[in-house]
Amino acid sequence: MYKLNYLSIWILAGLMFMACSSEETTHDQENEITVTFKVRADLSVSTEPIDNPSKRAMTRAATLSGENLEDVVRLISYDIYKDGSRYKYGSSSFDPATETAPEGFGTFEEKLLPGTYTVLFYAYGKASDGVSLNNENTLNNFNITSGELELYEYCQSITVTTSTTSVDVTLRRVSALMSLQISDDPLPEVSYITVSLNANGFYYPGNKANNSNPANFNIIKSTHVVDGKLPVTNIYTVNPKNPATMTIYIRNANGDILGETNVSVPMYANRRSVVSGNLFTYLGDKTMTVTIDDNWGEDVIVPLN
């Protein structure tokens, strides 16, 4: 009888605990607030001369609202953190080659209790391939696992109250783009070039102090001659630490190296660094230029010699 009564007490305590937990859960759900997150991409930039950033600064607005967000990104994902651990998450994506953006792309709803949260939104540009980030469910462990990615980011602390109905999320591009644009025509024996970009990058949205310890990436791309012309070679890096070192190898059909050159490329988040000039006409005496341009910002020409 003693054992039976002892067991009964534990069963009764367990039932009471379950009842209390269920009541607390129901109570929490009743207090949840529906919050709408509205995503937009802000492509405003400030461009500064490389030699003396203090001389001047220019801005050029190019803001894209949520209604045409699909023209810029193909995937939007978010993580909501409470006390450092992931609390809610979600995503929306489409394949621009075969699909149109889903209805309401860029608008998300979540039920949240009143309190303070860290909200991380990130998006992949249309040029990005595959999944390249890993967050391990905690904000400070969220790091980049691939070098080439056109990435947009929003990371802010928000406080949800009973009057909170919506939050505006402004994504900013944190990737840089290196664009190799060769002016002269390839020599007949040239079949393709190999571009090796050695760069450092980081992605710690919850702990910017880790910027001092970036990961190293050696990104390699081959570009083949098409109809007697060499197409543009584009390579993305995330939050680059300058400068990046680019090596261009000129190759024949067998892959033999006919010539090579090294270029030091300054790269900045939300900038396109354009490396341009003649590559084939003067294999031993090339004149190349780096500019920071595109609709990302006004041209700034940087001679390399």
Side-chain angles (χ1 to χ4, degrees):
M1 289 295 293
Y2 174 79
K3 289 184 178 180
L4 180 61
N5 289 337
Y6 185 76
L7 179 61
S8 299
I9 291 172
W10 277 106
I11 292 174
L12 180 60
L15 291 173
M16 292 176 64
F17 174 78
M18 291 174 62
C20 290
S21 298
S22 177
E23 183 179 341
E24 289 174 0
T25 301
T26 302
H27 181 67
D28 285 346
Q29 290 175 342
E30 291 176 351
N31 289 334
E32 285 182 331
I33 299 162
T34 300
V35 180
T36 301
F37 294 90
K38 300 177 181 179
V39 183
R40 60 193 284 271
D42 183 2
L43 304 185
S44 300
V45 298
S46 61
T47 304
E48 300 176 352
I50 305 304
D51 58 342
N52 190 346
S54 64
K55 285 183 180 178
R56 63 189 176 101
M58 300 169 292
T59 60
R60 181 178 185 276
T63 301
L64 300 175
S65 63
E67 61 187 7
N68 58 351
L69 189 61
E70 62 271 16
D71 295 335
V72 182
V73 301
R74 63 170 180 81
L75 175 147
I76 305 172
S77 188
Y78 66 90
D79 295 279
I80 300 174
Y81 296 87
K82 180 71 172 175
D83 299 326
S85 297
R86 189 165 65 170
Y87 180 67
K88 296 284 183 75
Y89 60 93
S91 65
S92 180
S93 64
F94 69 101
D95 183 354
T98 59
E99 302 172 331
T100 58
E103 185 176 354
F105 187 66
T107 300
F108 302 88
E109 285 190 353
E110 277 293 355
K111 292 184 178 296
L112 301 174
L113 291 169
T116 300
Y117 302 88
T118 299
V119 177
L120 169 66
F121 272 80
Y122 60 90
Y124 293 174
K126 286 190 173 182
S128 305
D129 293 323
V131 176
S132 302
L133 299 175
N134 174 32
N135 72 345
E136 301 178 7
N137 293 326
T138 59
L139 187 61
N140 287 343
N141 286 334
F142 205 120
N143 54 72
I144 187 170
T145 58
S146 175
E148 188 174 15
L149 178 68
E150 185 187 11
L151 181 68
Y152 296 79
E153 174 199 295
Y154 168 95
C155 186
Q156 297 289 337
S157 176
I158 67 168
T159 299
V160 175
T161 67
T162 54
S163 61
T164 304
T165 58
S166 65
V167 175
D168 292 328
V169 174
T170 301
L171 296 171
R172 299 188 184 280
R173 188 194 278 119
V174 294
S175 291
L177 172 63
M178 188 290 301
S179 184
L180 177 63
Q181 303 179 7
I182 301 304
S183 305
D184 55 348
D185 294 335
L187 301 174
E189 61 268 31
V190 175
S191 178
Y192 67 101
I193 66 168
T194 301
V195 180
S196 174
L197 186 71
N198 188 275
N200 294 323
F202 53 83
Y203 187 63
Y204 296 93
N207 187 357
K208 296 299 184 182
N210 281 328
N211 293 355
S212 60
N213 186 29
N216 179 263
F217 305 104
N218 188 31
I219 305 164
I220 300 175
K221 267 194 172 182
S222 294
T223 302
H224 287 75
V225 175
V226 178
D227 296 331
K229 303 290 183 181
L230 186 69
V232 173
T233 301
N234 290 325
I235 297 178
Y236 287 92
T237 62
V238 176
N239 280 329
K241 302 289 283 186
N242 284 294
T245 301
M246 180 176 64
T247 304
I248 307 169
Y249 300 95
I250 304 171
R251 300 178 183 269
N252 61 18
N254 295 324
D256 301 323
I257 298 175
L258 305 178
E260 65 180 81
T261 185
N262 293 305
V263 182
S264 181
V265 185
M267 300 185 71
Y268 300 88
N270 196 27
R271 301 291 198 283
R272 184 177 74 162
S273 298
V274 179
V275 180
S276 62
N278 295 327
L279 180 64
F280 307 106
T281 306
Y282 307 101
L283 285 178
D285 184 22
K286 293 166 288 297
T287 301
M288 305 195 75
T289 301
V290 175
T291 64
I292 310 299
D293 78 343
D294 196 28
N295 59 351
W296 295 10
E298 186 175 333
D299 289 5
V300 177
I301 299 175
V302 185
L304 294 181
N305 51 0

